[in-house]
């Protein structure tokens, strides 16, 4: 396919690590033309660099070699307008072959602003097998936690009740020094029981009680509870889209998820001057679950909740594992809160993702319409 490049077109120079990227990556200039292509993208798209440079991905001349559904143009426009990174989880790439046909491939696409002129945007393509692996890891983590709940709750809570009762009896006739030790045993026993209660929630395999609900009713109840309790020293701001339709979710479970995420944010901001939590809702029609046998097009998840804080972010060592049980960034954290969030949202047939860096951590929940 010949490619006559426009006279104002300039090839981008992303940097020395560009070709070493293990995933397909493209840079688009401010007019949406491909300005850089790495080796992995040439291989995955089955197109040479010369065939791509200077062209728009959705122009008519590209249709015989590459068809992308849905179009990436709305995603790129949102990145340019918001000047922030966004992710579209399910994109179909119809890639031309030598016989004149097309091979179907699926991928998620990360889009982010990049140096290279006004409006320049980088696209990172994550093939579907990598997305599926991440989903399997989250589901596997949830199943592991369920198994631990069934084993630990029964085996530990019963003897703990006896230990706590014995310590309380000892304290009644003990010296002041011994009474202090007995009270410590009671206190620590209660703390362990509270931890096991949290673990036990994983053992509940009943389906969520789904119904139509107003996301803002849930978020406002969470905001009010946090403002008079664990987040009383933190500024909580809201950015709601009042036009959102009703969501399909279990109100109690969604409340538990949002309270957990807001509490985590408040704990991350403890002692920080100018700490702020933002609750945001908006509509994104591009987000879907990966296709499966029940829904070949992928279930739409257009209703978005974001819970953002300006804390320190997750330590790099655990950034990719925060939804796994018993992984925590806090010294005394149990590592169960986010694993429970992942289980509940997975049971809803919805998505939860996190983007964390110093100064900005955002959890996004993507839910279906009622």
């Amino acid at each position: 396919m010949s490619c006559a490049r426009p006279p104002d077109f300039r090839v981008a120079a992303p940097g020395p690590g560009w070709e070493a990227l293990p995933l397909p990556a493209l840079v688009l200039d401010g007019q949406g033309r491909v300005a850089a292509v790495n080796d992995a993208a040439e291989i995955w798209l089955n197109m040479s660099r010369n065939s791509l440079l200077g062209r728009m991905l959705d122009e008519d001349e590209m249709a015989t070699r590459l068809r992308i559904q849905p179009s990436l143009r709305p995603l790129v426009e949102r990145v340019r307008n918001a000047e922030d990174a966004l992710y579209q989880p399910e994109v179909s790439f119809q890639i031309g072959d030598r016989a004149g046909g097309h091979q179907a491939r699926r991928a998620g696409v990360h889009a982010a602003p990049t140096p290279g002129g006004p409006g320049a945007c980088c696209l990172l393509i994550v093939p579907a097998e990598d997305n599926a692996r991440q989903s399997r890891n989250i589901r596997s983590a949830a199943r592991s936690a369920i198994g631990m709940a069934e084993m630990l709750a029964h085996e530990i809570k019963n003897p703990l009740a006896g230990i706590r009762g014995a310590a309380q009896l000892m304290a009644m006739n003990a010296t002041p020094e011994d009474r202090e030790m007995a009270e410590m045993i009671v206190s620590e026993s209660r703390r362990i029981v509270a931890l096991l209660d949290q673990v036990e929630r994983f053992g509940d395999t009943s389906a969520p009680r789904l119904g139509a609900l107003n996301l803002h009713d849930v978020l406002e109840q969470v905001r009010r509870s946090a403002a008079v309790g664990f987040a009383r020293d933190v500024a909580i701001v809201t950015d709601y889209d009042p036009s959102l339709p009703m969501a399909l979710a279990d109100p109690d479970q969604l409340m538990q998820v949002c309270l957990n995420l807001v509490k985590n944010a408040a704990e991350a901001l403890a002692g920080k001057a100018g700490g702020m939590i933002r609750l945001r809702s908006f509509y994104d029609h591009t987000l879907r679950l990966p296709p499966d046998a029940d829904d070949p097009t992928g279930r739409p998840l257009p209703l978005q909740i974001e819970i953002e804080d300006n804390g320190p972010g997750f330590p790099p060592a655990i950034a990719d594992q925060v939804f796994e049980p018993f992984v925590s960034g806090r010294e005394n954290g149990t590592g169960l809160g986010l694993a429970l969030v992942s289980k509940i949202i997975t049971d809803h047939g919805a998505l939860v993702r996190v983007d964390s860096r110093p100064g900005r951590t955002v959890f996004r929940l993507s839910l279906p319409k009622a």
Side-chain angles (χ1 to χ4, degrees):
M1 182 173 64
S2 61
C3 180
R5 298 173 190 169
D8 64 335
F9 174 74
R10 297 290 180 271
V11 176
W18 176 249
E19 295 300 343
L21 287 173
L23 294 175
L26 307 169
V27 172
L28 306 184
D29 66 12
Q31 298 184 46
R33 300 171 299 196
V34 177
V37 185
N38 72 348
D39 289 344
E42 283 191 282
I43 296 171
W44 197 78
L45 295 172
N46 194 30
M47 294 183 68
S48 70
R49 188 176 273 104
N50 286 335
S51 298
L52 286 163
L53 289 175
R55 291 189 173 276
M56 296 183 181
L57 293 175
D58 56 358
E59 66 182 40
D60 292 341
E61 290 79 1
M62 291 282 283
T64 59
R65 297 294 305 277
L66 180 64
R67 302 169 188 166
I68 303 174
Q69 291 293 332
S71 171
L72 297 178
R73 187 171 295 187
L75 175 69
V76 172
E77 287 301 319
R78 290 200 306 275
V79 168
R80 287 174 180 153
N81 293 335
E83 296 185 350
D84 201 359
L86 294 174
Y87 176 64
Q88 189 159 320
E90 190 64 27
V91 180
S92 172
F93 290 80
Q94 298 288 329
I95 298 170
D97 56 30
R98 294 182 181 275
H102 286 80
Q103 178 186 4
R105 292 181 179 176
R106 297 195 312 276
V109 177
H110 293 267
T114 188
C121 177
C122 179
L123 302 180
L124 186 67
I125 300 170
V126 184
E129 55 267 24
D130 293 329
N131 283 337
R133 186 182 304 113
Q134 184 179 29
S135 298
R136 286 195 300 270
N137 288 342
I138 291 177
R139 290 194 294 269
S140 177
R143 285 195 297 270
S144 298
I146 290 172
M148 281 183 265
E150 294 173 346
M151 178 182 68
L152 292 176
H154 177 73
E155 296 297 331
I156 298 178
K157 287 183 72 174
N158 288 338
L160 268 178
I163 293 171
R164 187 170 68 248
Q168 289 170 331
L169 288 174
M170 290 170 56
M172 296 173 60
N173 300 312
T175 63
E177 181 179 352
D178 290 340
R179 185 178 300 114
E180 182 179 353
M181 295 295 292
E183 289 173 351
M184 185 186 71
I185 294 172
V186 173
S187 174
E188 289 300 294
S189 296
R190 285 175 176 157
R191 187 178 68 84
I192 295 172
V193 169
L195 170 62
L196 290 174
D197 285 341
Q198 194 175 23
V199 175
E200 245 184 334
R201 295 191 185 105
F202 288 103
D204 182 6
T205 57
S206 59
R209 297 177 181 177
L210 300 177
L213 60 83
N214 187 322
L215 292 181
H216 302 139
D217 290 344
V218 173
L219 290 174
E220 277 301 288
Q221 189 170 343
V222 168
R223 183 190 63 80
R224 289 192 294 268
S225 297
V228 299
F230 54 79
R232 64 173 63 90
D233 298 324
V234 178
I236 303 179
V237 299
T238 59
D239 180 10
Y240 298 155
D241 179 352
S243 68
L244 287 187
M246 302 291 276
L248 183 66
D250 182 315
D252 293 334
Q253 291 191 4
L254 186 60
M255 177 81 67
Q256 182 181 1
V257 164
C258 292
L259 273 173
N260 191 306
L261 294 177
V262 173
K263 185 175 182 181
N264 280 0
E267 290 173 347
L269 295 169
K272 173 182 170 64
M276 183 183 72
I277 297 172
R278 184 177 70 139
L279 306 180
R280 181 187 178 210
S281 69
F282 61 100
Y283 195 91
D284 187 344
H285 72 278
T286 65
L287 285 174
R288 292 175 175 269
L289 283 176
D292 56 26
D294 295 330
D295 194 338
T297 63
R299 185 188 194 191
L301 301 175
L303 304 183
Q304 313 301 315
I305 293 175
E306 284 188 348
I307 297 175
E308 175 183 346
D309 69 74
N310 60 345
F314 290 110
I318 67 165
D320 296 332
Q321 305 169 341
V322 294
F323 291 114
E324 296 183 14
F326 308 111
V327 174
S328 175
R330 301 195 308 273
E331 182 178 352
N332 296 317
T334 64
L336 290 173
L338 291 181
L340 183 58
V341 165
S342 129
K343 176 186 181 296
I344 290 174
I345 295 301
T346 300
D347 289 347
H348 273 68
L351 289 175
V352 58
R353 284 151 295 153
V354 62
D355 178 21
S356 181
R357 58 181 182 268
R360 184 173 183 267
T361 295
V362 183
F363 282 90
R364 180 190 284 197
L365 309 176
S366 301
L367 300 163
K369 293 191 296 184

